[in-house]
Amino acid sequence: MSARIAPVVPPPRLRVAEPDDLPEVALVRARSWQAAYAGLVPHDVLSHLDEPERLDRWVAAYSGWGHARTVVAEDDGRIVGFTSSGPERGPDDLPCGVHGRGEVYAIYTLPSVWGTGAGRELLHHTLDELVTSGYDHVTLWVLEGNSRAQRFYERHGFAPTGERAQPADFLPELRYARRL
């Protein structure tokens, strides 16, 4: 009996996102939500996320987030994932100014690269950037019931804080945190 050897997958190329990348970033977010949130978010919400007008609205809204640093993961010149981070936000989605506390606002990859290490590379890069920026603590929010994401964050040292929020017109989220 011969041992099966898993194929070696080269890590994605990471780089800071450019404004022209945002439409592709929006599509990665939409496709990731459609796969990850199936059964958690109503189908009629998920099925429309990749429509051009929805993507355009997300790009317009996200373009105003001057405090966010976005990094993309590329594979063969195509964006397959992204992460966005910066200072921890308060209830109004604006930086709350708590010294030393950063936040991972978003981390999404295309379902086709789940399990390849692309998400891990993005997360590690983002955590390193937060340390370099002077943060010693990081938080993030995860959709309640998204056990795949919860396991991913826990493998990388995050733990639930017990805090729960329910943004307007959306499902409950759980806060996770760790020291850097």
Side-chain angles (χ1 to χ4, degrees), residues 77-138:
R78 145 184 110 104
I79 294 174
V80 297
F82 77 97
T83 186
S84 183
S85 63
E88 186 177 53
R89 297 171 295 165
D92 56 4
D93 270 347
L94 296 174
C96 63
V98 176
H99 180 71
R101 292 175 66 106
E103 182 176 349
V104 176
Y105 306 137
I107 179 169
Y108 295 106
T109 60
L110 290 174
S112 62
V113 300
W114 288 356
T116 67
R120 180 188 66 238
E121 293 292 323
L122 280 165
L123 182 61
H124 288 186
H125 180 85
T126 298
L127 297 178
D128 288 346
E129 280 190 339
L130 289 167
V131 167
T132 300
S133 296
Y135 298 107
D136 58 17
H137 190 264
V138 62

Side-chain angles (χ1 to χ4, degrees), residues 56-77:
D56 290 345
R57 279 198 308 261
W58 186 87
V59 168
Y62 191 80
S63 295
W65 276 38
H67 59 279
R69 179 168 173 88
T70 301
V71 172
V72 296
E74 287 184 321
D75 183 30
D76 288 331

